[in-house]
Amino acid sequence: MMMNKELSIYIHIPFCERKCIYCAFVSFCADKNSQDKYVDFLVKEIKSFKTNSRVKTIYIGGGTPSVLSEENLIKIFEALSSSFNINSNAEITIEANPNSLSENKLVLYKKLGINRLSIGIQSLNDDTLKKIGRHHSREDGINSIKLANSYFDNISIDLILGLEGEKNIYKYAETLIDLGVKHISAYMLEVHENTPLNNQVESHKFIPLNEDEVTSEYEKLVKFLDKKGFNQYEISNFALKGYESKHNINYWTFDDYVGFGISAHSFLNGIRIANASTLEDYYNGVKLKDENTDKTEIEERLFLGLRCFSGVDLKILQALGFDLRENDYYKKFLHDGILKEKEGKVYFNKNYYLVSDYIISHLLPD
Amino acid sequence: MKDNLNHIRNFCIIAHIDHGKSTLADRLIELTGTVSKREMQDQILDSMELEREKGITIKLAPTRLIYDYNGEEYTLNLIDTPGHVDFTYEVSRSLAACEGAILLVDASQGVEAQTLANTYLALDNNLETVPVINKIDLPSARVEEVKKEIEEVIGLDAENCPCISAKEGTNVEDVLKAIIEKIPAPKGDINGRLKCLIFDSHYDNFKGAICLIRVFDGQVKKGDKILMMQTNKVFEVTEVGIFVPNTKETEVLSAGDVGYLAGSIKTIQDVKVGDTITSWENPTDEALAGYKEVQPVVFCGIFPVDGARYGELKDALDKLKLNDASLQFSAENSMALGYGFRCGFLGLLHLEIITERLEREFNLDIITTAPSVSYHVYKTSGDMLEISNPSLLPPQVEIERIEEPMVKVNIFSPPEYVGAIMDLCQDKRGIYKNMIYLDKRRVELNYDLPLGEIIYDFFDSLKSRTHGYASFDYEQKGYEPAELVRVDILLNGERCDALSMIVHKDKAYTRGRELAERLKKIIPRQLFEVPIQACIGNKIIARETISALRKDVLAKCYGGDITRKRKLLEKQKEGKKRMRKIGSVEIPSEAFMSILKLNDDE
């Protein structure tokens, strides 16, 4: 085992006060007993993992991790520090909802070494928030940032593009940046099957923005954030210099990570592992393993690299037996200025980020 | 006993579609104990999955029934027949193997177009035709009126005909009695020189080609050397047998019998339906009349979605052709679709069935182009070309005239829909011939119509305009000149050969516009704007534009679940494989059939 290898850790907390109508993640309401049981199992899972790698980032996501009781969160951190060698400058993030943040929790987070907050603002419109099943108001959102800002410097927020009636999202960004937000993830609404949103969309009770409207929302936001000095380092992620999420970048640059908790994913020594996504299976230790072949690695390197600032190294692909330059579409995309090559790496023209799936699906090996 | 020709009856059941033919066959099988109750499944002779699903009979399916009548045992060979107009040919094939036919008529629907057409076929083949009225259990049954219709419209004596409910089993025994009493026993010389008719065939992976035969003279058994008189091939019989209704090996088949014969026949083409089998050592002097070759009337291109599977498509067509002599095909090359076949069919249903069988039984993904008829194109040079692929039509300046195939159409309908039917026929360029009021409830309308209009949504329009009450039948009626033009489709300025169509000049604008609109809906947005133009020669007659793609991205790649995202992209790439490229425009396979469905959205 290599001694100098570094690792990222993801921890999934599946609990929510209630489920938002668009949510297709593994999350649910749970009473104190079930939460305790889950955390006990999670702690065992963390403790049974053996590695020599040093930890460079930790991300506690969900669900809504901020609903965790203080003692449960402490248990998790004790397990982490007893099993892992965590870098002193490690990026440690926790996700929170505006309504479940409190002064006490912020103090505790700080004490546990958490240094980055990701707050699910989603919108600053009260009607919209109500419609999509959020538990907080515009005011709650703004207050939570103000409160968080007095303890944390590195604050990220999530926004959703494409919700009904939500035009000029960039104005939310403006308000939030003025309050001190350093990082913004702006995700376009995806309507997933088996969600209440899907039913509402099908019965025309909820009318998301159409393709052209979302596109123009996105373009306006990108332009605004650029003006504010936010660098677009991935399709949906923007940050002031130095505030890019190291944890996210780790996913895209093909480095190792380990996930703990229900439905958490790991990537270790070329093997992708997914924990079960039902509690029963998870408690029985069910995992899905998917060994990367050269072909899957080529595919992953292509779309991960192209979707973010790092680009794709043509030489790495060649070493895997794939010469992108022989692909006719690639030549055409270069010629049309959709892709560009620089020092042996290929990047997207950012203007084409929104059609990236279309482009990438033409570049995948046969 | 079995050798006695007097105790054999060979018969088929003919009927308009949905008059209950397969249900009656089931009851006869059940009643004679041919298949035990336990093994019984509905519509037992419709063995193809497709047949059961569509509720129609496509293939001939013979079965042997044993029935005791007045203390004597009779062998009744039933040959099931298809009921749809496209398969008139198959009906005549089974008729040639029989001495009689049961004409089944629905007690509420009465005489329909195919009732009449099939009766004429039976009369042409000198069959004794026995009318039977079915579905007497329906509240709307009008038995006495239908008897009158049979007598007046068809001219058969129906006074004492069996009136049954095949569904409920009422009076079905009467049918068996009528078969024995009214249908003549086969004639033939059991000691004469072997003479059998191949009335159908199919391919078995273990036994080779299987011939379905009717023995007219002599006997045939395992080990015999036989000669196919038309193909002049000699085989040694490896197995003979009967259908009960599954195959059952027997020692011998004799004059009057219906059964099957196998002879390690590896080459599909060596078996010709309609051919006569005789003994190689002691051949007959005279072959049976056989069948006249049927000519396909509807054509379309069939291409594999994956070009590499061209060979598989060819094998599949060869196999289907074995028991479907009417299917024709020849190699074809399209700019848009690559290598494939131009195929000829008896009609639209036939086309639909073949394409579905290719997909289901042979697991092929195929693209079919819009159906066309075969035009006679007279060039100014004096040459005549037969064109069934619109893209091969020569330039307008080289054409002296074009002739299109016409058909004589008989439509049966309740009188209240006459106006709607006349409008439809008018719209389809029909020429009115005659109208006969058969009785208070039925009118027969005769029109001459271009076949090209029939294959373009005529049947569906007739059904919807008459709420399903009208039935129709047609027969070929030669070629007539018409003012026809070719409408081409340009995608981003490039002609797509597989989308060209030949239409009457008065309809060119409408059809061109409809097709362009339809393509706009089917072709996904591309990275650039794509103009769709319909044109005649160099003249643009319609234009639509597909605006450029603006968004195709799944933004979230969350929590390290890379595999899900990768699989989504792989799926998207697989979708691309099903696309065809015209210049730089990617078109989904479905687009090529869209000409057919122009009126779907209305």
Side-chain angles (χ1 to χ4, degrees):
Chain A
M1 199 164 280
M2 279 186 290
M3 289 302 289
N4 57 352
K5 223 172 169 181
E6 288 192 321
L7 183 74
S8 288
I9 295 174
Y10 175 78
I11 291 170
H12 191 74
I13 306 297
F15 312 122
C16 282
E17 287 172 306
R18 73 172 174 199
K19 203 157 166 109
C20 306
I21 65 163
Y22 51 83
C23 178
F25 290 116
V26 177
S27 66
F28 38 81
C29 308
D31 58 22
K32 187 179 176 303
N33 280 343
S34 336
Q35 293 201 17
D36 291 347
K37 183 181 172 195
Y38 179 83
V39 171
D40 286 346
F41 192 87
L42 185 66
V43 162
K44 259 192 267 171
E45 194 191 5
I46 294 170
K47 285 188 172 164
S48 64
F49 187 83
K50 301 280 176 258
T51 180
N52 293 326
S53 304
R54 299 185 66 85
V55 174
K56 62 179 174 188
T57 73
I58 298 173
Y59 194 101
I60 303 170
T64 315
S66 52
V67 305
L68 273 183
S69 69
E70 295 193 3
E71 58 174 323
N72 276 337
L73 189 63
I74 291 168
K75 275 196 216 164
I76 293 168
F77 270 84
E78 281 173 354
L80 284 171
S81 49
S82 75
S83 313
F84 291 97
N85 225 327
I86 302 168
N87 286 346
S88 56
N89 63 349
E91 175 192 278
I92 304 176
T93 309
I94 189 165
E95 285 182 344
N97 268 359
N99 49 307
S100 53
L101 265 187
S102 65
E103 197 132 17
N104 286 344
K105 278 186 184 161
L106 289 167
V107 172
L108 173 70
Y109 294 169
K110 194 115 198 165
K111 210 170 89 189
L112 292 172
I114 293 171
N115 50 29
R116 185 170 179 272
L117 278 183
S118 171
I119 303 178
I121 297 289
Q122 318 305 358
S123 168
L124 286 181
N125 179 305
D126 284 341
D127 290 341
T128 303
L129 289 165
K130 211 168 157 189
K131 235 177 170 171
I132 60 175
R134 301 291 296 180
H135 232 70
H136 55 90
S137 63
R138 172 189 171 95
E139 204 184 340
D140 293 338
I142 288 172
N143 287 340
S144 72
I145 305 283
K146 285 181 181 159
L147 183 66
N149 209 22
S150 49
Y151 292 88
F152 289 89
D153 165 53
N154 191 348
I155 298 172
S156 170
I157 56 102
D158 287 350
L159 290 175
I160 301 178
L161 295 169
L163 293 169
E164 180 172 345
E166 287 280 57
K167 302 217 173 148
N168 298 326
I169 291 283
Y170 76 93
K171 287 188 177 157
Y172 301 157
E174 183 169 33
T175 307
L176 295 161
I177 291 168
D178 288 347
L179 292 170
V181 164
K182 306 290 194 308
H183 181 284
I184 292 178
S185 297
Y187 296 115
M188 276 165 284
L189 181 67
E190 287 171 17
V191 180
H192 291 279
E193 267 177 58
N194 302 322
T195 58
L197 177 65
N198 191 38
N199 296 337
Q200 291 186 23
V201 169
E202 277 176 6
S203 59
H204 305 289
K205 281 189 197 130
F206 192 99
I207 303 162
L209 300 190
N210 66 32
E211 188 178 318
D212 286 338
E213 290 168 333
V214 183
T215 307
S216 99
E217 275 309 295
Y218 179 82
E219 284 166 355
K220 278 190 287 182
L221 182 67
V222 168
K223 211 167 135 192
F224 172 79
L225 290 175
D226 183 59
K227 216 166 61 191
K228 285 283 182 178
F230 276 64
N231 174 35
Q232 182 176 18
Y233 68 103
E234 194 256 3
I235 292 177
S236 305
N237 285 283
F238 308 82
L240 289 175
K241 199 162 171 47
Y243 287 92
E244 295 87 359
S245 162
K246 294 188 185 77
H247 185 82
N248 278 346
I249 291 170
N250 186 73
Y251 290 143
W252 307 327
T253 49
F254 236 72
D255 292 323
D256 280 7
Y257 53 87
V258 56
F260 299 113
I262 184 170
S263 79
H265 292 257
S266 305
F267 180 58
L268 297 161
N269 302 314
I271 300 171
R272 299 211 176 268
I273 304 157
N275 283 358
S277 53
T278 66
L279 272 181
E280 196 189 345
D281 284 349
Y282 170 62
Y283 289 147
N284 284 322
V286 176
K287 287 172 195 285
L288 269 177
K289 280 194 189 180
D290 207 353
E291 196 146 345
N292 259 22
T293 61
D294 281 356
K295 180 168 179 280
T296 56
E297 183 171 342
I298 292 163
E299 291 175 341
E300 289 174 359
R301 283 192 183 273
L302 260 174
F303 78 78
L304 291 171
L306 282 175
R307 284 168 64 95
C308 75
F309 69 100
S310 70
V312 181
D313 193 327
L314 291 169
K315 274 196 293 298
I316 294 181
L317 295 186
Q318 269 165 0
L320 291 165
F322 182 61
D323 192 348
L324 199 52
R325 286 178 173 137
E326 284 174 8
N327 180 311
D328 288 338
Y329 287 106
Y330 179 69
K331 289 178 218 162
K332 174 135 180 51
F333 293 148
L334 278 184
H335 174 267
D336 293 347
I338 294 166
L339 297 173
K340 50 192 182 203
E341 260 187 40
K342 208 172 128 192
E343 292 159 9
K345 282 186 165 190
V346 51
Y347 303 87
F348 251 107
N349 173 342
K350 284 183 185 179
N351 294 334
Y352 289 90
Y353 264 159
L354 277 194
V355 288
S356 57
D357 283 8
Y358 180 94
I359 311 267
I360 292 166
S361 63
H362 281 86
L363 300 177
L364 297 182
D366 278 325
Chain B
M1 195 72 154
K2 260 191 64 193
D3 299 335
N4 191 342
L5 285 173
N6 286 329
H7 289 84
I8 298 178
R9 297 291 182 272
N10 293 317
F11 73 104
C12 56
I13 309 172
I14 52 178
H16 187 75
I17 196 161
D18 279 344
H19 281 201
K21 198 159 37 69
S22 297
T23 313
L24 175 60
D26 286 355
R27 282 302 91 72
L28 295 177
I29 290 168
E30 213 175 72
L31 201 64
T32 53
T34 308
V35 172
S36 70
K37 265 262 187 304
R38 187 175 49 83
E39 294 166 329
M40 199 68 198
Q41 52 177 335
D42 275 354
Q43 322 245 301
I44 197 152
L45 296 183
D46 291 348
S47 56
M48 258 189 267
E49 187 189 343
L50 253 176
E51 294 183 313
R52 283 207 193 101
E53 235 168 69
K54 290 186 187 273
I56 53 168
T57 306
I58 302 164
K59 288 304 298 174
L60 316 174
T63 193
R64 167 177 292 206
L65 316 170
I66 302 294
Y67 184 61
D68 267 333
Y69 179 67
N70 292 342
E72 291 178 50
E73 188 178 271
Y74 284 82
T75 300
L76 312 179
N77 289 310
L78 158 64
I79 301 174
D80 202 8
T81 61
H84 190 275
V85 55
D86 281 8
F87 300 104
T88 303
Y89 169 69
E90 303 243 351
V91 177
S92 58
R93 271 160 57 183
S94 44
L95 295 179
C98 302
E99 280 77 35
I102 298 291
L103 174 70
L104 197 63
V105 184
D106 184 313
S108 70
Q109 306 280 328
V111 171
E112 298 275 7
Q114 254 98 57
T115 318
L116 205 58
N118 285 332
T119 309
Y120 290 149
L121 283 177
L123 296 177
D124 284 350
N125 281 276
N126 295 319
L127 296 198
E128 182 63 38
T129 306
V130 181
V132 170
I133 296 176
N134 189 22
K135 306 197 187 180
I136 58 164
D137 57 303
L138 292 181
S140 55
R142 40 185 190 99
V143 176
E144 288 311 312
E145 278 174 63
V146 171
K147 276 189 183 173
K148 245 178 91 188
E149 272 181 32
I150 295 174
E151 294 188 344
E152 284 172 11
V153 181
I154 304 183
L156 286 176
D157 177 8
E159 205 187 324
N160 296 313
C161 75
C163 297
I164 67 164
S165 162
K167 196 176 121 207
E168 296 185 347
T170 321
N171 301 337
V172 175
E173 197 113 20
D174 291 352
V175 178
L176 290 167
K177 287 179 188 151
I179 291 167
I180 293 167
E181 288 166 6
K182 298 200 170 145
I183 294 176
K187 296 188 184 72
D189 182 358
I190 200 166
N191 300 311
R193 288 186 280 188
L194 181 66
K195 199 191 263 188
C196 313
L197 171 72
I198 306 177
F199 65 86
D200 201 2
S201 65
H202 61 256
Y203 198 82
D204 182 291
N205 282 336
F206 301 103
K207 298 176 183 170
I210 306 282
C211 306
L212 276 63
I213 56 167
R214 157 72 198 272
V215 186
F216 282 90
D217 286 315
Q219 295 191 323
V220 62
K221 59 182 189 308
K222 185 173 169 177
D224 287 354
K225 274 204 167 162
I226 52 160
L227 170 72
M228 307 276 192
M229 294 181 77
Q230 227 178 313
T231 56
N232 215 22
K233 299 274 173 174
V234 178
F235 297 98
E236 187 178 312
V237 177
T238 55
E239 186 179 327
V240 295
I242 54 170
F243 298 94
V244 286
N246 295 323
T247 54
K248 183 183 163 199
E249 191 170 353
T250 55
E251 270 182 28
V252 63
L253 290 176
S254 310
D257 278 339
V258 170
Y260 69 90
L261 174 155
S264 299
I265 306 167
K266 294 291 168 225
T267 313
I268 292 167
Q269 287 78 9
D270 289 345
V271 175
K272 251 185 121 87
V273 170
D275 199 354
T276 303
I277 295 178
T278 189
S279 159
W280 183 70
E281 284 106 352
N282 186 17
T284 178
D285 301 331
E286 204 183 341
L288 294 157
Y291 308 116
K292 58 173 190 236
E293 289 252 338
V294 278
Q295 293 303 320
V297 290
V298 175
F299 301 82
C300 78
I302 298 187
F303 298 82
V305 168
D306 177 357
R309 300 184 70 187
Y310 172 82
E312 280 176 67
L313 177 58
K314 182 170 189 312
D315 290 347
L317 286 168
D318 271 332
K319 288 209 169 120
L320 288 178
K321 170 133 181 100
L322 176 69
N323 61 0
D324 190 348
S326 49
L327 169 68
Q328 291 193 353
F329 57 94
S330 55
E332 175 172 284
N333 187 14
S334 153
M335 292 275 285
L337 300 173
Y339 289 99
F341 297 91
R342 176 116 310 232
C343 303
F345 307 92
L346 300 174
L348 280 184
L349 181 69
H350 188 210
L351 181 158
E352 193 183 321
I353 284 160
I354 294 292
T355 52
E356 280 194 40
R357 289 185 72 186
L358 287 171
E359 287 178 332
R360 291 194 198 184
E361 293 169 30
F362 297 92
N363 254 326
L364 288 162
D365 268 344
I366 53 171
I367 302 175
T368 47
T369 61
S372 166
V373 296
S374 178
Y375 297 94
H376 288 176
V377 179
Y378 293 87
K379 296 179 70 176
T380 46
S381 63
D383 296 346
M384 194 274 272
L385 303 173
E386 285 190 43
I387 299 286
S388 65
N389 178 348
S391 70
L392 298 178
L393 191 73
Q396 207 78 34
V397 291
E398 293 175 23
I399 299 174
E400 199 253 314
R401 70 174 194 284
I402 304 177
E403 295 190 353
E404 62 178 339
M406 299 293 291
V407 289
K408 256 165 81 173
V409 173
N410 286 335
I411 300 170
F412 280 56
S413 169
E416 57 265 39
Y417 301 115
V418 164
I421 295 170
M422 287 182 145
D423 285 350
L424 174 65
C425 291
Q426 184 83 24
D427 184 45
K428 297 289 182 187
R429 300 191 282 127
I431 301 155
Y432 172 80
K433 287 291 169 182
N434 198 9
M435 177 162 71
I436 309 157
Y437 278 85
L438 300 171
D439 55 37
K440 266 189 296 190
R441 319 172 45 117
R442 297 202 95 54
V443 181
E444 184 187 345
L445 281 151
N446 305 130
Y447 269 87
D448 286 351
L449 276 157
L451 181 62
E453 297 285 348
I454 302 263
I455 66 168
Y456 177 72
D457 89 348
F458 180 83
F459 189 50
D460 287 343
S461 304
L462 181 67
K463 264 204 303 205
S464 71
R465 291 192 197 195
T466 64
H467 301 107
Y469 280 110
S471 63
F472 94 113
D473 184 65
Y474 63 83
E475 56 185 289
Q476 317 297 324
K477 194 194 165 277
Y479 277 73
E480 282 176 21
E483 290 197 69
L484 299 162
V485 293
R486 186 178 76 204
V487 175
D488 289 326
I489 294 292
L490 307 182
L491 296 169
N492 208 22
E494 288 200 45
R495 182 164 89 102
C496 178
D497 59 1
L499 289 172
S500 295
M501 54 189 177
I502 294 175
V503 290
H504 192 265
K505 76 170 186 8
D506 293 346
K507 296 190 169 184
Y509 282 83
T510 325
R511 294 276 293 278
R513 196 184 56 238
E514 284 172 350
L515 181 55
E517 283 167 4
R518 176 119 200 145
L519 289 170
K520 183 181 174 174
K521 281 184 200 150
I522 292 180
I523 300 174
R525 291 164 135 196
Q526 324 258 318
L527 282 180
F528 46 88
E529 190 180 278
V530 178
I532 304 169
Q533 292 158 306
C535 55
I536 302 171
N538 292 324
K539 192 167 140 209
I540 307 292
I541 57 171
R543 185 192 158 108
E544 293 285 333
T545 306
I546 304 172
S547 55
L549 176 74
R550 294 196 68 187
K551 177 174 169 279
D552 179 6
V553 61
L554 281 179
K556 211 148 191 173
C557 196
Y558 182 87
D561 186 359
I562 307 298
T563 310
R564 176 175 162 266
K565 173 83 187 159
R566 192 193 77 230
K567 287 185 176 156
L568 285 171
L569 282 166
E570 276 177 357
K571 215 171 137 195
Q572 197 170 346
K573 182 183 144 255
E574 286 309 307
K576 295 267 178 301
K577 271 197 185 163
R578 297 184 58 92
M579 302 261 201
R580 293 296 157 136
K581 280 187 81 179
I582 306 297
S584 48
V585 184
E586 291 174 327
I587 310 178
S589 318
E590 308 85 71
F592 298 98
M593 269 301 267
S594 62
I595 307 183
L596 228 197
K597 294 166 183 144
L598 285 180
N599 289 336
D600 271 12
D601 301 340
E602 288 175 11

